Amino acid sequence: MTEWTPFDQAAMRRALDQAVCGLYTTGENPRVGAVIARDDQILSDAFHRAPGEPHAEILAMRKLDADRLVGATCYVTLEPCAHQGRTGPCADALIAAGVTRVVAAMEDPNPLVSGRGIERLRAAGIQVDVGLSEVEAQALNRGFVQRMRAHRPWIWVKSAASLDGKTAMADGTSKWITGTEARRDVQRLRARCGAIVTGIDTILADDPRLTVRYADAGIDWPTDLSERQPLRVVLDSSGRLPHDAALVHAEGPVLWVTTAPASHPALDSGRIMHWQAPSDALGRIDLHALMAEFAHRGINEVLVEAGATLSGACIREHWVTRGALFCCETPWALWPILV
């Protein structure tokens, strides 16, 4: 078992802090940070920003002259890749640079990597140590890990209640039960997710846009990246989506899910997409098929923002792994849901 030095621990902590910088921008990719060090001195650090852009290890190495990389150690929160995707293999780049040690927080659960990067590095004579801060690295990429291992995304469910425990006020309205701080946190939760799911009843009652308002969330989006809006998914078995729904006309992609062929003006214009889902025994949208479709689309984290019927169904089907409950003006609290 590897004995981690205080510097090892500090360097990996720095790499994890870097990885967090990609919390809202990496999309289907994992959130990864890297640090290059030598002689117990950190020389550079970086994080993976967005799909198609260089990985964290590459960016960290690019900050240094070639001679400073020879004999260096790379601390990285995820095993360096060993396959050709939209970018080249990081393992090969580390070998070519003359790095002599790699410390990875965790093995990559992606079947295209899954230990192959570690094997390639070791075959080249590089010392590879795995497992430092693994729990923290797993938590940062829980959606990516679950999609790779279980072929389904990590599911959040968000609910709001008044102090008497109701999810709507006495007059039947449900808007603005929560306060400014809680609404800001909802925006941050939306921003980290690849999809937001709601039911047609919520659309008909509240007409939400379900978009991320980055300024309201206090998120400084990189100026050179286009703001990403999550896929907004409307579960609508019988095809009742109004033509003038705010969600249809708001910025960002929309997926309309029904159990039968359906038509809508926004489909003809290309404003929304349609997916005909299989139905369950009760004629409702099959949630098992829906989760598999999310995984197929590369979605790591999903937020269910819906009424009691859909939220309850997700919980009963054991899809929900974490919940966020907002009560009036109080800050949001998370509760784990055991599955």
Side-chain angles (χ1 to χ4, degrees), residues 106 109 138 141-156 291 295 299-302 318-322 339:
M106 60 178 285
Q138 292 261 6
N141 284 303
R142 51 172 62 100
F144 178 77
V145 171
Q146 184 154 289
R147 179 167 68 88
M148 290 297 159
R149 291 179 177 170
H151 307 293
R152 65 185 181 94
W154 176 278
I155 307 298
W156 301 81
M291 298 308 164
I299 295 171
N300 294 326
E301 296 184 47
V302 171
H318 302 292
W319 290 114
V320 180
T321 35
R322 187 64 60 89
V339 295

Side-chain angles (χ1 to χ4, degrees), residues 34-54:
V35 162
I36 304 295
R38 190 170 61 183
D39 300 327
D40 284 358
Q41 179 183 3
I42 291 176
L43 304 179
S44 69
D45 55 20
F47 66 96
H48 176 56
R49 294 202 321 159
E53 293 206 357

